[in-house]
Amino acid sequence: MQPAIAVREVTKTYTEGSASVTALRGIDLDVHAGEVVMLMGPSGSGKTTLLSIMGCILASTGGSVRIAGIEVTQLREKELPRVRLEHIGFVFQGFNLFPTLTAGENVELMLDLKKEPQAAAKKRAQELLENVGLAEKYKSFPADLSGGQKQRIAIARALACDPEIVLADEPTAALDSHTGKNVMQMLADLAHKRDRAVVIVTHDPRVLEFADRTIRIEDGLVAGYSAKKPSSAISEFYPAVGAAAEPAEVRGV
Amino acid sequence: MPPLAERNLFHDKVRLAVTLTGIVFAVVLIVVELGLFVGFMKTTSNLIDHSNADLWVTSINVPYVEQGVPFSERKLYQVRAIPGVQDAEKYISDWVEWKRPDGRQETVQIVGMDIDKDMGLPWNLVQGKLGDLKRPDAIFVDEVYKEKLGATHIGQIVEINHRRARIVGFTRGIRAFTTSPYVFTMFKRAQDYARLPENQTTYILVKVAPGAEINEVRREILAQVKDVQVVTSAEFSHMTQFYWMFTTGAGIAVLLAAVLGLVVGFVVVAQTIYATTVDHLKEFGTLKAMGAPNSYVYRVITRQAAISAVIGYVLGMIVSAFVVHASQGGGAPIELPLPMAIGMFFLTLTMCIGAGMISISKVTRLDPAMVFKG
């Protein structure tokens, strides 16, 4: 089966004037529908850069990125929003809800981007809020919602266009542990019950139990990987000794 | 589309107030500066624009209305004899000295005409009747210059070039571009005040007969009357405006102020609209990350700018109307003709949307890391 995300030899170098910083040094990674992949690693290791590249927000310097079978490195910049809209849903650390729109309108906005008629968009937004258990908050503004509720609205919004891929950046960072677990369960259910490919960048070891695979990134390289569903700690990572030593799903072979 | 632009604008009332204040300030500034320019332009050619004449016959090379050079009245009869001329009348405009009651002298522009005809008459008469000018020594002055001339009331006796004059009426809003106010009187008396020989005039005003071609009549006058210049009212108006506004440099200053008003107005609007957009930069970044094409984000920003423009314009024009009204009693008129008001609407819209476009470049270059960091 074709992976939802296929990353091959991806490099990224940021250049400013004569200075340049290499953020990714050749990453291989496949993510399949129905699995939760977590990206871990210290700050500045390149996790968010990798997530941005997989989200078609940032162009890689080299290598290949296929999203739902589409080679996105070959696309022109103006073609990328369409790929994001149709194939990728985003969940952000800070929720990134539009504070001036109600919860329902935040979800409707995504459908408007896809040119859904207004009535159909309202109905679909209502359904999505029901799915995350917040149907009664349709007309509430984000400022009136708790952190957990905001993240559930953000998840509803990410799913509005029915994407195959959900990319989440530190989705539990702003939440208490109980709410964080609920949100993680919701993301895991997206993968396991609704067959989405879910990639999560996190620093939070408490959420590792929800991962099917965990990839550790250090200095722009895959530094290790975990067996399926590690019980608790990062220490269970196997060291990666070059790409050849990685298991197939990490190398993407 | 969910009302993102409207909500972005109206959600933060303080920010909205700051944005609208900026736009209102810009609108009022531009209206005042442009209005002053238009006002001065119109002031310079007031006499010509209200003359009701089709053609002006002047001495050769007269550049503007205040610079009339006397010529023989015999030319009047020659003009009247030309086919296509319905009526022709003598008209005087000349500098004379006005003596205030306190003895101080002021230079005024004496304007003389035949009040039984309908060319070159004073207008906006607020005290007295036109027929009163037939009374001995009768003159009209404008109430704007009451203080400058020491004119206080109807019946007041004053002195012009050492001759007696009596104020029999006041006009309203007939300003002169120079510091010398207009004083209206009968032709013969104006001739006397200006110390012109009895057979001399400075202008002949011509009314062309219905159906006659103005340019044809002009050619005939030039062919049959020697040593004169013949210009249409529109041309003479333009010549006079051009002289005062550009040749003297006086208008350049006003024009520069108007241009400066435009620039400052645009900068103020650009700053406020830019700040409004930057306030929502993270949201625009999120929109883009979620898959909104640039055109969608541009539409939101443009809509925000256009709504700000419309509200700012309406409020700005209300304030401007008060300023324009207040200026009518003073020496510096601010004009706000309908075409300028309409033009201001499109200018405000263009400024706001243009400023929005400047901020769009900021949105276009958004750092994706910004989107992912809480």
Side-chain angles (χ1 to χ4, degrees), chain B residues 20-36:
Chain B
L20 292 180
T21 303
I23 298 171
V24 168
F25 173 78
V27 168
V28 174
L29 180 69
I30 294 169
V31 164
V32 167
E33 296 293 357
L34 284 180
L36 270 173

PDB file of all heavy atoms in Angstrom, chain B residues 20-36:
ATOM      1  N   LEU B  20      -9.836  53.959  12.500  1.00  0.00           N
ATOM      2  CA  LEU B  20     -10.753  54.943  11.907  1.00  0.00           C
ATOM      3  C   LEU B  20     -10.271  56.369  12.152  1.00  0.00           C
ATOM      4  O   LEU B  20     -10.399  57.229  11.276  1.00  0.00           O
ATOM      5  CB  LEU B  20     -12.168  54.748  12.460  1.00  0.00           C
ATOM      6  CG  LEU B  20     -12.857  53.456  12.018  1.00  0.00           C
ATOM      7  CD1 LEU B  20     -14.250  53.355  12.617  1.00  0.00           C
ATOM      8  CD2 LEU B  20     -12.941  53.361  10.496  1.00  0.00           C
ATOM      9  N   THR B  21      -9.692  56.604  13.329  1.00  0.00           N
ATOM     10  CA  THR B  21      -9.164  57.948  13.609  1.00  0.00           C
ATOM     11  C   THR B  21      -8.089  58.297  12.586  1.00  0.00           C
ATOM     12  O   THR B  21      -8.054  59.423  12.061  1.00  0.00           O
ATOM     13  CB  THR B  21      -8.581  58.015  15.041  1.00  0.00           C
ATOM     14  OG1 THR B  21      -9.607  57.649  15.950  1.00  0.00           O
ATOM     15  CG2 THR B  21      -8.075  59.407  15.367  1.00  0.00           C
ATOM     16  N   GLY B  22      -7.237  57.335  12.290  1.00  0.00           N
ATOM     17  CA  GLY B  22      -6.189  57.560  11.296  1.00  0.00           C
ATOM     18  C   GLY B  22      -6.770  57.896   9.936  1.00  0.00           C
ATOM     19  O   GLY B  22      -6.328  58.839   9.273  1.00  0.00           O
ATOM     20  N   ILE B  23      -7.771  57.145   9.537  1.00  0.00           N
ATOM     21  CA  ILE B  23      -8.362  57.380   8.206  1.00  0.00           C
ATOM     22  C   ILE B  23      -9.114  58.714   8.185  1.00  0.00           C
ATOM     23  O   ILE B  23      -8.997  59.482   7.229  1.00  0.00           O
ATOM     24  CB  ILE B  23      -9.295  56.216   7.815  1.00  0.00           C
ATOM     25  CG1 ILE B  23      -8.485  54.915   7.728  1.00  0.00           C
ATOM     26  CG2 ILE B  23      -9.989  56.486   6.482  1.00  0.00           C
ATOM     27  CD1 ILE B  23      -9.320  53.675   7.572  1.00  0.00           C
ATOM     28  N   VAL B  24      -9.860  58.983   9.263  1.00  0.00           N
ATOM     29  CA  VAL B  24     -10.604  60.258   9.323  1.00  0.00           C
ATOM     30  C   VAL B  24      -9.617  61.427   9.262  1.00  0.00           C
ATOM     31  O   VAL B  24      -9.830  62.398   8.530  1.00  0.00           O
ATOM     32  CB  VAL B  24     -11.464  60.323  10.606  1.00  0.00           C
ATOM     33  CG1 VAL B  24     -11.996  61.732  10.843  1.00  0.00           C
ATOM     34  CG2 VAL B  24     -12.621  59.330  10.516  1.00  0.00           C
ATOM     35  N   PHE B  25      -8.528  61.313  10.022  1.00  0.00           N
ATOM     36  CA  PHE B  25      -7.513  62.367  10.012  1.00  0.00           C
ATOM     37  C   PHE B  25      -7.001  62.580   8.588  1.00  0.00           C
ATOM     38  O   PHE B  25      -6.888  63.715   8.117  1.00  0.00           O
ATOM     39  CB  PHE B  25      -6.366  61.982  10.948  1.00  0.00           C
ATOM     40  CG  PHE B  25      -5.194  62.917  10.877  1.00  0.00           C
ATOM     41  CD1 PHE B  25      -5.227  64.151  11.506  1.00  0.00           C
ATOM     42  CD2 PHE B  25      -4.057  62.574  10.156  1.00  0.00           C
ATOM     43  CE1 PHE B  25      -4.146  65.017  11.425  1.00  0.00           C
ATOM     44  CE2 PHE B  25      -2.977  63.428  10.065  1.00  0.00           C
ATOM     45  CZ  PHE B  25      -3.020  64.658  10.709  1.00  0.00           C
ATOM     46  N   ALA B  26      -6.705  61.473   7.913  1.00  0.00           N
ATOM     47  CA  ALA B  26      -6.184  61.560   6.547  1.00  0.00           C
ATOM     48  C   ALA B  26      -7.203  62.200   5.611  1.00  0.00           C
ATOM     49  O   ALA B  26      -6.867  63.079   4.818  1.00  0.00           O
ATOM     50  CB  ALA B  26      -5.800  60.169   6.047  1.00  0.00           C
ATOM     51  N   VAL B  27      -8.462  61.774   5.718  1.00  0.00           N
ATOM     52  CA  VAL B  27      -9.512  62.320   4.837  1.00  0.00           C
ATOM     53  C   VAL B  27      -9.654  63.820   5.067  1.00  0.00           C
ATOM     54  O   VAL B  27      -9.670  64.614   4.117  1.00  0.00           O
ATOM     55  CB  VAL B  27     -10.859  61.589   5.084  1.00  0.00           C
ATOM     56  CG1 VAL B  27     -12.003  62.337   4.408  1.00  0.00           C
ATOM     57  CG2 VAL B  27     -10.798  60.151   4.572  1.00  0.00           C
ATOM     58  N   VAL B  28      -9.728  64.219   6.341  1.00  0.00           N
ATOM     59  CA  VAL B  28      -9.927  65.650   6.642  1.00  0.00           C
ATOM     60  C   VAL B  28      -8.711  66.457   6.167  1.00  0.00           C
ATOM     61  O   VAL B  28      -8.862  67.516   5.554  1.00  0.00           O
ATOM     62  CB  VAL B  28     -10.174  65.857   8.156  1.00  0.00           C
ATOM     63  CG1 VAL B  28     -10.229  67.343   8.498  1.00  0.00           C
ATOM     64  CG2 VAL B  28     -11.475  65.169   8.566  1.00  0.00           C
ATOM     65  N   LEU B  29      -7.521  65.918   6.418  1.00  0.00           N
ATOM     66  CA  LEU B  29      -6.295  66.618   6.007  1.00  0.00           C
ATOM     67  C   LEU B  29      -6.289  66.835   4.487  1.00  0.00           C
ATOM     68  O   LEU B  29      -6.029  67.946   4.004  1.00  0.00           O
ATOM     69  CB  LEU B  29      -5.072  65.797   6.431  1.00  0.00           C
ATOM     70  CG  LEU B  29      -3.707  66.398   6.080  1.00  0.00           C
ATOM     71  CD1 LEU B  29      -3.448  67.638   6.922  1.00  0.00           C
ATOM     72  CD2 LEU B  29      -2.594  65.382   6.311  1.00  0.00           C
ATOM     73  N   ILE B  30      -6.614  65.790   3.760  1.00  0.00           N
ATOM     74  CA  ILE B  30      -6.578  65.888   2.293  1.00  0.00           C
ATOM     75  C   ILE B  30      -7.681  66.824   1.800  1.00  0.00           C
ATOM     76  O   ILE B  30      -7.456  67.661   0.921  1.00  0.00           O
ATOM     77  CB  ILE B  30      -6.709  64.492   1.652  1.00  0.00           C
ATOM     78  CG1 ILE B  30      -5.473  63.661   1.998  1.00  0.00           C
ATOM     79  CG2 ILE B  30      -6.850  64.592   0.136  1.00  0.00           C
ATOM     80  CD1 ILE B  30      -5.578  62.197   1.650  1.00  0.00           C
ATOM     81  N   VAL B  31      -8.884  66.703   2.387  1.00  0.00           N
ATOM     82  CA  VAL B  31      -9.979  67.577   1.971  1.00  0.00           C
ATOM     83  C   VAL B  31      -9.619  69.041   2.230  1.00  0.00           C
ATOM     84  O   VAL B  31      -9.835  69.904   1.373  1.00  0.00           O
ATOM     85  CB  VAL B  31     -11.297  67.208   2.708  1.00  0.00           C
ATOM     86  CG1 VAL B  31     -12.317  68.324   2.583  1.00  0.00           C
ATOM     87  CG2 VAL B  31     -11.872  65.917   2.141  1.00  0.00           C
ATOM     88  N   VAL B  32      -9.046  69.309   3.392  1.00  0.00           N
ATOM     89  CA  VAL B  32      -8.702  70.705   3.725  1.00  0.00           C
ATOM     90  C   VAL B  32      -7.641  71.230   2.751  1.00  0.00           C
ATOM     91  O   VAL B  32      -7.784  72.330   2.198  1.00  0.00           O
ATOM     92  CB  VAL B  32      -8.215  70.807   5.194  1.00  0.00           C
ATOM     93  CG1 VAL B  32      -7.569  72.162   5.458  1.00  0.00           C
ATOM     94  CG2 VAL B  32      -9.392  70.594   6.146  1.00  0.00           C
ATOM     95  N   GLU B  33      -6.608  70.442   2.516  1.00  0.00           N
ATOM     96  CA  GLU B  33      -5.527  70.921   1.646  1.00  0.00           C
ATOM     97  C   GLU B  33      -5.995  71.064   0.187  1.00  0.00           C
ATOM     98  O   GLU B  33      -5.748  72.088  -0.446  1.00  0.00           O
ATOM     99  CB  GLU B  33      -4.315  69.972   1.711  1.00  0.00           C
ATOM    100  CG  GLU B  33      -3.651  69.895   3.078  1.00  0.00           C
ATOM    101  CD  GLU B  33      -2.987  71.184   3.499  1.00  0.00           C
ATOM    102  OE1 GLU B  33      -2.979  72.146   2.726  1.00  0.00           O
ATOM    103  OE2 GLU B  33      -2.489  71.236   4.638  1.00  0.00           O
ATOM    104  N   LEU B  34      -6.687  70.040  -0.297  1.00  0.00           N
ATOM    105  CA  LEU B  34      -7.187  70.128  -1.673  1.00  0.00           C
ATOM    106  C   LEU B  34      -8.273  71.193  -1.777  1.00  0.00           C
ATOM    107  O   LEU B  34      -8.361  71.925  -2.761  1.00  0.00           O
ATOM    108  CB  LEU B  34      -7.748  68.773  -2.129  1.00  0.00           C
ATOM    109  CG  LEU B  34      -6.731  67.699  -2.505  1.00  0.00           C
ATOM    110  CD1 LEU B  34      -7.447  66.424  -2.941  1.00  0.00           C
ATOM    111  CD2 LEU B  34      -5.815  68.169  -3.620  1.00  0.00           C
ATOM    112  N   GLY B  35      -9.106  71.261  -0.728  1.00  0.00           N
ATOM    113  CA  GLY B  35     -10.197  72.244  -0.713  1.00  0.00           C
ATOM    114  C   GLY B  35      -9.666  73.667  -0.717  1.00  0.00           C
ATOM    115  O   GLY B  35     -10.229  74.549  -1.351  1.00  0.00           O
ATOM    116  N   LEU B  36      -8.559  73.871  -0.006  1.00  0.00           N
ATOM    117  CA  LEU B  36      -7.930  75.203  -0.020  1.00  0.00           C
ATOM    118  C   LEU B  36      -7.417  75.519  -1.421  1.00  0.00           C
ATOM    119  O   LEU B  36      -7.589  76.637  -1.928  1.00  0.00           O
ATOM    120  CB  LEU B  36      -6.755  75.235   0.966  1.00  0.00           C
ATOM    121  CG  LEU B  36      -7.074  75.644   2.392  1.00  0.00           C
ATOM    122  CD1 LEU B  36      -5.845  75.458   3.274  1.00  0.00           C
ATOM    123  CD2 LEU B  36      -7.545  77.091   2.462  1.00  0.00           C
TER     124      LEU B  36
END
